[in-house]
């Protein structure tokens, strides 16, 4: 066999290979999900169980500021909480790849360095979209409705994915910094209180005096309040500046988190090769 008659392939630029390598790693991540049905069931089942648990078990005991059905008040919070807990999935996947030597393998291959982080970001955003779709169907089944119209509803889901996008980089940075998957699991002890001290379940105005402002300034509360407004659901609008500008802050907080943690994650990955 000779290669004399074969013409060389077209030259490819750095952007082409960055996109191609990113697509390859996205495909790898999605194939891993197919091979881990238990992980998929846990990741998608937890939000559904949470909706049923909080909506029906605790719902009758909750008071909505200004009146309204508690399930309509709760669902934007559950959407936001699901996006927030996705941080743990990202961190666990990254630290697992590091522990198995997959990161070392990637660094030894002729591939775009940016593909590892961007591939993780794209694949996790695709999984988050699937989670939101399943959770929305569950919410509609239990009686939740969106009265914000098509545009408002679409904008609300866009804000939720924007929050998830920013937390992906927090998760990648944590995954590269933590030593093992057990340490990544311990992130739950941090994330759970952060979601509780927010407006996910109750209005900050109903919390103790010092805790209410903390919950109001929690970035999670801004996304919850903004999506409640866009969905046309009962809200918990307080009198603080951050609560009065929830839509603005639902964009500003994720952009600020991305601006801080995306460079940190990239720098952390680059240091692995030194």
């Amino acid at each position: 066999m000779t290669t004399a008659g074969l013409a060389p392939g077209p030259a490819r630029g750095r952007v082409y290979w960055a996109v191609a390598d990113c697509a390859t790693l996205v495909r790898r991540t999605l194939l891993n999900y197919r091979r881990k049905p238990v992980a998929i069931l846990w990741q998608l089942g937890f939000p559904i169980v949470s909706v049923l648990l909080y909506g029906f078990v605790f719902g009758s005991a909750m008071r909505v500021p200004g009146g309204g059905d508690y399930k309509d008040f709760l669902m934007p919070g559950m959407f936001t909480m699901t996006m927030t807990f996705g941080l743990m999935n990202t961190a666990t996947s990254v630290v697992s790849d590091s522990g198995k030597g997959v990161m070392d393998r990637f660094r030894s291959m002729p591939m775009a360095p940016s593909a590892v982080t961007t591939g993780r970001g794209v694949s996790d955003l695709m999984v988050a979209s699937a989670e939101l779709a399943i959770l929305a169907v569950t919410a509609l089944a239990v009686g939740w409705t969106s009265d914000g119209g098509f545009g408002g509803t679409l904008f609300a889901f866009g804000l939720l994915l924007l929050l998830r996008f920013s937390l992906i980089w927090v998760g990648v940075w944590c995954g590269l910094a933590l030593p093992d998957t057990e340490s990544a699991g311990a992130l739950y002890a941090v994330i759970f209180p952060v979601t509780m001290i927010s407006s996910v379940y109750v209005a900050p105005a109903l919390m103790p005096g010092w805790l209410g402002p903390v919950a109001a300034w929690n970035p999670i509360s801004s996304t919850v309040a903004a999506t409640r407004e866009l969905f046309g659901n009962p809200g918990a609008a307080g009198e603080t500046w951050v609560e009065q500008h929830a839509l603005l802050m639902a964009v500003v907080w994720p952009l600020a988190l991305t601006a801080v943690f995306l460079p940190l994650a990239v720098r952390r990955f680059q240091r692995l090769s030194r």
Side-chain angles (χ1 to χ4, degrees):
M1 182 176 178
T2 176
T3 59
L6 297 177
R12 306 293 191 184
R14 295 178 62 182
V15 174
Y16 172 85
W17 287 114
V19 174
D21 292 341
C22 172
T24 300
L25 291 183
V26 169
R27 182 171 176 272
R28 168 191 175 268
T29 303
L30 297 181
L31 285 175
N32 279 338
Y33 275 107
R34 283 180 52 187
R35 294 164 182 166
K36 298 178 181 177
V38 175
I40 295 176
L41 289 175
W42 167 254
Q43 199 163 331
L44 299 181
F46 177 73
I48 296 174
V49 172
S50 298
V51 169
L52 300 176
L53 182 67
Y54 287 102
F56 289 99
V57 177
F58 302 131
S60 59
M62 296 294 186
R63 181 167 63 89
V64 179
D69 188 272
Y70 182 70
K71 284 195 290 294
D72 290 337
F73 175 85
L74 175 68
M75 280 316 304
M78 297 306 297
F79 290 141
T80 307
M81 189 186 76
T82 302
M83 295 298 98
T84 305
F85 273 99
L87 186 158
M88 285 190 59
N89 299 325
T90 301
T92 302
S93 298
V94 172
V95 78
S96 176
D97 280 348
S98 296
K100 294 175 181 176
V102 177
M103 290 294 181
D104 295 331
R105 177 66 173 163
F106 287 155
R107 293 203 310 273
S108 68
M109 298 172 69
M111 61 186 295
S114 62
V116 177
T117 50
T118 57
R120 170 56 56 186
V122 173
S123 58
D124 282 3
L125 209 56
M126 292 173 68
V127 172
S129 300
E131 288 176 333
L132 274 181
I134 293 173
L135 198 56
V137 171
T138 305
L140 291 170
V142 299
W144 170 76
T145 57
S146 173
D147 299 323
F150 178 77
T153 302
L154 200 63
F155 189 17
F157 282 117
L159 287 179
L160 291 164
L161 289 176
L162 179 62
L163 177 68
R164 179 71 181 98
F165 177 79
S166 68
L167 294 177
I168 284 172
W169 308 115
V170 181
V172 170
W173 179 77
C174 290
L176 293 173
L178 294 172
D180 48 46
T181 54
E182 287 77 12
S183 301
L187 286 174
Y188 183 82
V190 177
I191 298 174
F192 184 69
V194 171
T195 58
M196 294 299 291
I197 305 174
S198 70
S199 62
V200 168
Y201 302 106
V202 297
L206 300 179
M207 297 180 183
W210 65 272
L211 196 58
V214 175
W217 280 91
N218 185 336
I220 294 172
S221 296
S222 295
T223 298
V224 174
T227 52
R228 278 179 181 141
E229 181 179 342
L230 291 168
F231 285 137
N233 293 150
E239 297 180 352
T240 62
W241 184 90
V242 70
E243 290 173 300
Q244 294 293 324
H245 299 81
L247 272 173
L248 171 66
M249 296 308 296
V251 175
V252 170
W253 281 125
L255 292 180
L257 287 171
T258 302
V260 172
F261 283 96
L262 176 56
L264 288 176
V266 172
R267 184 177 302 177
R268 190 82 192 182
F269 178 76
Q270 292 172 337
R271 285 182 177 178
L272 292 178
S273 59
R274 295 178 181 173

